[in-house]
Amino acid sequence: MQFHQKPAALLGSFLLLFLLCSCGAKPAAAGPSPASSAPPSAASSSEPQSSSPAADPDRLSDEDAPPEEEKKVLEQLEAPPVSLSAGSGTVSPASGSDAAGSGQVHINAPAAPGKIVYRKGGSAIDASNTSAGYVMIRQSGTEKRLKVQIKKGGMTYNYDLNHAGKYEVFPLQMGDGTYQARIMENVSGSSYRELFSASFPVALSSGFAPFLCPNQYVNYTASSAAVKKSAALCAGAGTDVEKLKAVYTYMIHNIKYDYAKAAAVRSGYLPDVDAVLAARKGICFDYSALMAAMLRAQNVPTKLVVGSVDAVAATHSWNEVYLKGKGWITIKIENTAAGWKLMDATFGASGSAGKSYTAARVY
């Protein structure tokens, strides 16, 4: 899967702000960037003694579906709906069992078992499950604003971090190799200092691993209402295409675009997929997070992508879905007399059209 990452290095921590503004938000003051000139701390941990297998640089870059396969998927999506409960508008209670009554819902739930942990003071970086596509980080002992940097090669992803000492999940979506995680504390204004950092090897169990589990941007649990709804929608689905069609159909007919929220949201906003599902409306970031959560809960690899699209002429958020035997399908939209073709659910619900999508960040 080609990420088109060249512009990403320039976007840094301002990308989310632009994303929110492109959805109709009033411009907010630029958030602080952890990519400041703070020098690496002497507290940086050494790498573990074990070494990772040789990295495969093409692992995540050679799986795009060819145009003819995308066309076949679109034709199936345009066909009459599968016989599922899409569009019912009901959400099952978050009871821990699926809506079809078949037992417990099983997701790829993140965990911090403490097998490989880098610590110093209130800082903890749990790298026990890097093969599953994520690292878990927490910080306690400070009330100041915190940031996390996840770095590999020339790529850097910047995130906010709570200061309550609770673990948060960050994806390792840049393929195999050596990653560095940095915990940064605000000094003043946009200046940050490093509290702690650690480098660790990553050998993913699969190139899909980061896109099959929750993370800070696509946040859900087995008891989430979004997961229950996904189970209900896909109860009769026999293929991943049918799952995709069921979720997408539900999204465009039941989740509307929230223009008021778009005008008021500020930098640092993170989607709450259950709140979006309950309100039945959201901004582009919400749409993409909810769709990713519902499909990942069905074991369908799904990316939340941030980049640019010609229909909005600004930064936007959408999804990419991996279908077995086909490849990654970019979720865009084209409105025709026969209905929606590709599936950027934001454009599907608002009646817009988008054709040219360029990815900058993937979560």
Side-chain angles (χ1 to χ4, degrees):
M1 175 63 216
Q2 291 292 347
F3 285 169
H4 307 285
Q5 289 177 336
K6 291 183 179 179
L10 301 177
L11 294 176
S13 63
F14 297 101
L15 184 58
L16 179 56
L17 174 62
F18 296 156
L19 165 63
L20 299 176
C21 291
S22 75
C23 292
K26 297 177 181 178
S33 169
S36 61
S37 58
S41 167
S44 300
S45 173
S46 60
E47 295 191 21
Q49 294 181 354
S50 59
S51 60
S52 64
D56 178 2
D58 294 325
R59 190 167 190 168
L60 297 177
S61 63
D62 58 359
E63 297 169 339
D64 282 333
E68 60 270 19
E69 290 296 337
E70 280 200 341
K71 184 176 183 295
K72 290 178 183 178
V73 172
L74 298 184
E75 289 172 348
Q76 293 181 64
L77 292 165
E78 291 174 341
V82 290
S83 180
L84 302 174
S85 55
S88 66
T90 59
V91 180
S92 302
S95 61
S97 62
D98 67 18
S102 60
Q104 295 295 310
V105 172
H106 297 286
I107 66 167
N108 297 309
K115 295 179 180 179
I116 303 176
V117 185
Y118 305 88
R119 303 180 188 273
K120 182 176 186 293
S123 306
I125 298 173
D126 192 312
S128 303
N129 289 313
T130 57
S131 64
Y134 65 87
V135 63
M136 299 188 70
I137 300 176
R138 68 181 179 186
Q139 178 67 48
S140 60
T142 179
E143 295 297 318
K144 295 182 178 180
R145 188 174 183 183
L146 297 170
K147 293 280 188 179
V148 163
Q149 280 189 337
I150 305 294
K151 306 178 70 173
K152 177 180 177 287
M155 282 293 295
T156 299
Y157 278 79
N158 300 312
Y159 304 90
D160 287 325
L161 178 68
N162 74 81
H163 49 65
K166 297 180 180 178
Y167 270 120
E168 293 194 66
V169 186
F170 301 96
L172 302 173
Q173 68 277 61
M174 294 176 279
D176 292 350
T178 299
Y179 283 68
Q180 181 188 33
R182 304 176 74 198
I183 302 174
M184 314 288 289
E185 180 186 58
N186 184 252
V187 177
S188 63
S190 61
S191 177
Y192 279 71
R193 71 184 183 96
E194 182 182 285
L195 292 179
F196 184 61
S197 71
S199 295
F200 47 87
V202 172
L204 296 173
S205 61
S206 163
F208 308 123
F211 313 112
L212 283 169
C213 60
N215 60 46
Q216 189 190 69
Y217 278 30
V218 184
N219 196 359
Y220 59 94
T221 67
S223 61
S224 294
V227 172
K228 307 307 171 190
K229 187 61 183 176
S230 176
L233 293 172
C234 300
T239 67
D240 286 354
V241 173
E242 289 182 348
K243 293 176 182 179
L244 175 57
K245 184 169 184 175
V247 171
Y248 174 67
T249 300
Y250 177 81
M251 291 283 294
I252 64 170
H253 289 297
N254 291 275
I255 310 297
K256 304 304 179 184
Y257 193 82
D258 190 340
Y259 291 96
K261 183 176 185 178
V265 74
R266 290 293 179 260
S267 178
Y269 171 77
L270 290 173
D272 180 333
V273 294
D274 284 354
V276 173
L277 187 61
R280 297 168 67 106
K281 59 184 179 180
I283 59 175
C284 59
F285 199 7
D286 296 324
Y287 276 85
S288 302
L290 179 57
M291 192 166 186
M294 295 177 95
L295 288 171
R296 289 183 189 186
Q298 292 300 310
N299 206 38
V300 179
T302 306
K303 300 175 182 178
L304 187 160
V305 187
V306 176
S308 61
V309 60
D310 61 1
V312 291
T315 306
H316 180 54
S317 179
W318 65 91
N319 300 103
E320 292 182 7
V321 178
Y322 188 86
L323 299 176
K324 296 174 184 177
K326 301 182 185 298
W328 287 102
I329 305 293
T330 302
I331 310 243
K332 28 194 180 181
I333 190 70
E334 182 176 355
N335 190 19
T336 70
W340 296 110
K341 285 189 175 180
L342 289 175
M343 294 117 4
D344 177 343
T346 302
F347 291 134
S350 66
S352 303
K355 296 180 180 179
S356 178
Y357 285 54
T358 302
R361 314 292 262 191
V362 181
Y363 301 93

